[in-house]
Amino acid sequence: MKDIFLLAYRDIKERKARTGLTLLGIAVGIAAVIALMSVGYGFEQSVTGQLVEMADLIYVFPGKGFGSAHVELGSLDERDLKDVGGIGGVKEAAAGAMSMEEVEYRGEKTVVNILGTDPRDIGVIFGDMVKTEEGRDLRDNDHKTCLIGQGIANDYFDEEIRVNDRITIGGSKFRVVGVMEKQGGFNSDLDSTIYVTRRDAKGVLGNDDIAVIWARVRNIDEAEEIAAEIEERLDENHKLDDFTTAMTMGSAIEQLKTIFTLLQAVLVAIASISLIVASIGIMNTMLMSVMERTHEVGIMKAIGAKNGNVLSLFLLESGMVSMVGGVCGCVLGVFGANVISIGIRAAFGEEIAAIVRPEVLLGGILVAVIVGVLSGLYPARKASKMSPVEAVRYE
Amino acid sequence: MIRSEQLNKVYRMGKIEVPALRDVSLEIEEGEFLAIVGSSGSGKSTLLNMLGCLDKPTSGAVFLDGVNTASLSENELAGIRREKIGFIFQQFNLIHSLNALENVSLPLFFAGVSSDERLKRAAELLTKVGLRERMHHKPSELSGGQQQRVAIARALSNNPAIIIGDEPTGNVDSETGDAIMGILEGLNREGRTVIVVTHDLEIASHAPRVIRMKDGRLLEQ
Ligand SMILES: Nc1ncnc2c1ncn2[C@@H]1O[C@H](COP(=O)(O)OP(=O)(O)OP(=O)(O)O)[C@@H](O)[C@H]1O
Ligand SMILES: [Mg+2]
């Protein structure tokens, strides 16, 4: 066994340049797949990772989709909030008023999402994730003050908004008391939101409507049942079927994962095209190698090699080349994945660390070997079927 | 031992049929030393290929130890070539990427002999043909006569009963040719059947029995 490896190795060594190029073809194909998958996992992780911290959260909002139909159906109210808070298994519940309002800063106007919530509820809603970077948090007795997201502070207006600057929200003047930390990823919405107290929101919106209720559950395993109970209770409150949707973060994460899996599959399918090209390369190299070695194969057969011996020799050769190609592809792929993450950070400012899974690397090598052996099959069969006389006759 | 009956071989080249062997019936005893002579194109190599199980006849039969080889599968023929027959070619036909030792041990590899055993046997055989000092040389680093001796050692590796040489002296000078014939005579004395094709009558005179071919036919012996 060792010797047939040696024999195949000799043959490969004799054709360094060509083998090198074939190997490169495989390596690039495998690298493309591995890099894309690793970046994909990294992306998935950066999005769902943020969500996992909120896995015990249930979003309650009117209508079918978040922020969609509540205008027509009406909105949630204080009674709903109290009922949600009263359901067994719910640790705490918080309400948010939401609307898009015109905001003016130093003569510049734009429309921004306003979230009105009680200061103490911020913790309920966002947990530890959202922190104030500059200035201070909102306080219960604050009046006409606001917290702003990073995006609002830096990107929305020509001039940067700082703590203690004044902005006009829906016609009334507000003082900025703090700027939030940058969130990015799935939570990048939070970067472009202005936070006020519910009392101030009422003043700006002109009503007491609640757009969304957040509920944190004690036990994540019960989240689905509790969500169902919330829907039932609020539908009853409003005497409408399907008035409310209570969505657990758990199910949101599941949905996202499905989307990511699909996305991943599409990326890998595209990257696989390069593998197909590489396999044609192997087949070509092996066919040339078989043709050049007609004589050698004839000699082997004349001295007693069976068809199977010749077949396995050539298969081994293509298998070895593609395995080395696969290993190089892994190295190249990990490198490529990191280059892509650095590129993403440079271009979009998003922190997406590529995640290299060992099973992806092993799979990459395995795929390389399978591709190699499959594309070596036809040339190898051709070689094994050669007649010894024909092959030996001419030098 | 080896017997051919009404052996015919026709090569087809497109529409043209080239009869290379016509009704060749021949009997070769075990331990015989036979030379086949004849002009170029008379069918010597073709006959040798049939006798050596490298090729199958168009019609007729070759019996080797009582078995009709025309009825065997490719792999069975390969098995016979490996176990019973050692080939020596005019062009030496060594594998360039392998050194002398590896070339000689290759048939043993196909026979499934263990690596240690193979190298031991190959070294012995190379010593026997006088190439002890050249075992690790590649064919390109050996003279024609040395390459042919490597080829003889390779032919002997599976200890075959039959040695078949197609112009084994064709590519070497007459002195080396004599030396090679000397080795073949020695192998014949060991009891092996030796069949050699040549068009050099001087070389053929080493053999006790000489047969002539012309236009694919055997002339009177
Ligand atoms: N593969 C082949 N295809 C077509 N014709 C062939 C083939 N092999 C041999 N022949 C023809 O068969 C005839 C016998 O050829 P063969 O090689 O047996 O001659 P030979 O006696 O060995 O000649 P030489 O002394 O030149 O080697 C020749 O006419 C040759 O052209
Ligand atoms: Mg000939």
Side-chain angles (χ1 to χ4, degrees):
Chain A
M1 201 53 202
K2 180 183 119 210
D3 309 80
I4 192 161
F5 271 109
L6 211 65
L7 204 60
Y9 168 72
R10 290 276 166 81
D11 292 327
I12 292 167
K13 218 177 68 178
E14 289 233 315
R15 297 164 181 79
K16 280 196 200 90
R18 199 197 306 153
T19 312
L21 289 174
T22 316
L23 204 137
L24 190 67
I26 284 277
V28 167
I30 294 292
V33 173
I34 286 179
L36 283 177
M37 286 187 81
S38 301
V39 171
Y41 283 133
F43 195 36
E44 180 179 333
Q45 178 58 39
S46 83
V47 170
T48 55
Q50 287 176 325
L51 296 185
V52 165
E53 291 183 37
M54 307 193 290
D56 59 345
L57 203 60
I58 298 177
Y59 271 96
V60 186
F61 47 87
K64 279 272 151 244
F66 188 55
S68 64
H70 65 276
V71 186
E72 301 133 50
L73 289 171
S75 57
L76 304 172
D77 53 31
E78 288 301 329
R79 182 163 74 130
D80 297 329
L81 177 61
K82 220 171 117 249
D83 286 351
V84 170
I87 286 173
V90 172
K91 196 161 68 183
E92 39 193 350
M98 245 186 244
S99 94
M100 301 296 287
E101 295 293 333
E102 193 179 67
V103 173
E104 189 185 334
Y105 177 63
R106 296 198 180 160
E108 217 182 319
K109 285 181 186 168
T110 184
V111 174
V112 176
N113 186 39
I114 310 294
L115 173 64
T117 178
D118 285 335
R120 66 187 153 77
D121 283 345
I122 294 232
V124 178
I125 301 166
F126 302 117
D128 304 331
M129 293 163 36
V130 179
K131 291 203 184 67
T132 307
E133 189 174 81
E134 272 176 77
R136 62 167 176 86
D137 293 337
L138 290 178
R139 287 179 195 142
D140 272 341
N141 54 2
D142 269 349
H143 182 61
K144 295 278 166 86
T145 56
C146 64
L147 264 177
I148 59 176
Q150 275 280 324
I152 304 284
N154 297 320
D155 307 328
Y156 268 57
F157 299 93
D158 284 345
E159 289 182 70
E160 194 183 321
I161 306 178
R162 293 173 177 281
V163 174
N164 286 329
D165 279 344
R166 271 159 216 287
I167 59 178
T168 310
I169 303 173
S172 9
K173 288 251 180 239
F174 278 74
R175 188 166 62 89
V176 176
V177 293
V179 178
M180 306 276 247
E181 268 180 3
K182 184 178 166 62
Q183 292 297 308
F186 185 75
N187 284 339
S188 50
D189 270 4
L190 304 182
D191 294 332
S192 40
T193 298
I194 295 179
Y195 306 82
V196 298
T197 62
R198 276 198 67 201
R199 203 177 37 222
D200 284 338
K202 192 172 164 186
V204 173
L205 269 64
N207 62 43
D208 213 356
D209 291 349
I210 293 175
V212 55
I213 294 173
W214 292 272
R216 284 210 181 250
V217 297
R218 288 205 165 76
N219 181 352
I220 294 172
D221 296 337
E222 291 171 5
E224 290 300 330
E225 293 158 43
I226 294 171
E229 201 178 332
I230 290 173
E231 283 187 1
E232 203 176 311
R233 181 75 61 86
L234 299 199
D235 285 354
E236 220 170 87
N237 280 356
H238 293 265
K239 313 251 177 306
L240 274 170
D241 285 346
D242 296 334
F243 173 76
T244 12
T245 304
M247 188 173 75
T248 63
M249 279 317 281
S251 69
I253 293 171
E254 285 311 310
Q255 279 177 21
L256 270 172
K257 283 196 169 151
T258 313
I259 293 171
F260 272 109
T261 309
L262 275 173
L263 195 75
Q264 198 92 304
V266 171
L267 286 179
V268 168
I270 294 169
S272 303
I273 294 173
S274 55
L275 266 182
I276 294 172
V277 174
S279 80
I280 296 171
I282 295 197
M283 204 181 287
N284 186 41
T285 312
M286 291 307 295
L287 273 176
M288 279 174 77
S289 168
V290 166
M291 241 119 67
E292 281 172 4
R293 279 149 66 194
T294 305
H295 188 66
E296 203 174 300
V297 171
I299 297 169
M300 291 192 197
K301 293 194 111 182
I303 62 176
K306 291 190 175 170
N307 291 2
N309 295 131
V310 176
L311 189 78
S312 53
L313 179 66
F314 279 88
L315 281 186
L316 195 69
E317 197 173 313
S318 61
M320 271 160 73
V321 170
S322 52
M323 178 148 124
V324 175
V327 172
C328 293
C330 285
V331 175
L332 217 63
V334 171
F335 180 73
N338 285 312
V339 168
I340 294 175
S341 341
I342 291 168
I344 290 175
R345 183 165 47 199
F348 306 107
E350 294 285 347
E351 197 68 50
I352 291 175
I355 296 175
V356 182
R357 297 200 174 162
E359 62 264 32
V360 169
L361 295 185
L362 283 179
I365 295 173
L366 195 71
V367 166
V369 172
I370 291 173
V371 164
V373 169
L374 284 184
S375 30
L377 204 58
Y378 168 67
R381 274 182 68 84
K382 210 174 143 104
S384 75
K385 290 258 151 67
M386 260 175 338
S387 141
V389 225
E390 289 301 311
V392 167
R393 230 148 63 98
Y394 309 101
E395 179 83 320
Chain B
M1 229 268 116
I2 308 177
R3 187 158 52 88
S4 75
E5 277 177 7
Q6 302 290 311
L7 212 53
N8 281 280
K9 179 71 181 180
V10 181
Y11 290 109
R12 277 197 185 78
M13 306 182 70
K15 287 208 169 80
I16 310 163
E17 293 194 344
V18 183
L21 289 182
R22 305 168 204 245
D23 294 331
V24 175
S25 296
L26 175 68
E27 204 160 323
I28 304 165
E29 295 301 326
E30 196 168 334
E32 228 182 311
F33 191 156
L34 173 72
I36 304 173
V37 296
S39 57
S40 184
S42 58
K44 305 182 297 292
S45 297
T46 307
L47 176 60
L48 218 51
N49 291 342
M50 303 297 148
L51 298 179
C53 298
L54 277 177
D55 206 356
K56 287 189 184 189
T58 310
S59 71
V62 177
F63 291 94
L64 211 152
D65 293 335
V67 178
N68 184 2
T69 59
S71 66
L72 297 180
S73 73
E74 262 186 63
N75 276 341
E76 286 168 327
L77 288 177
I80 291 188
R81 290 197 294 271
R82 199 173 58 219
E83 281 154 26
K84 298 192 173 170
I85 301 166
F87 286 94
I88 307 165
F89 303 94
Q90 180 176 357
Q91 321 285 1
F92 320 134
N93 284 344
L94 298 175
I95 291 178
H96 299 295
S97 55
L98 303 180
N99 66 26
L101 201 61
E102 291 161 336
N103 263 293
V104 175
S105 62
L106 197 57
L108 294 166
F109 167 69
F110 292 128
V113 175
S114 78
S115 155
D116 289 349
E117 177 69 24
R118 279 206 311 266
L119 291 180
K120 193 167 142 263
R121 255 203 81 93
E124 274 169 22
L125 287 166
L126 282 168
T127 309
K128 183 172 171 180
V129 297
L131 286 176
R132 216 163 81 88
E133 314 297 321
R134 293 281 186 279
M135 284 199 268
H136 298 284
H137 288 235
K138 292 267 178 80
S140 57
E141 298 156 0
L142 297 171
S143 74
Q146 288 170 334
Q147 289 187 53
Q148 195 59 300
R149 278 188 279 163
V150 174
I152 292 172
R154 181 180 65 185
L156 290 173
S157 63
N158 276 316
N159 196 20
I162 305 162
I163 301 286
I164 287 181
D166 192 347
E167 311 223 21
T169 58
N171 269 12
V172 294
D173 61 46
S174 63
E175 209 173 312
T176 315
D178 278 336
I180 286 168
M181 288 313 284
I183 296 175
L184 292 180
E185 280 174 317
L187 295 175
N188 179 242
R189 274 196 299 277
E190 288 173 3
R192 296 179 218 269
T193 311
V194 178
I195 309 169
V196 173
V197 157
T198 180
H199 46 230
D200 183 339
L201 293 177
E202 169 75 29
I203 291 290
S205 68
H206 285 265
R209 181 180 170 199
V210 179
I211 59 173
R212 288 169 191 284
M213 291 193 70
K214 193 168 187 268
D215 298 334
R217 283 181 210 283
L218 231 53
L219 297 184
E220 83 296 340
Q221 302 181 13

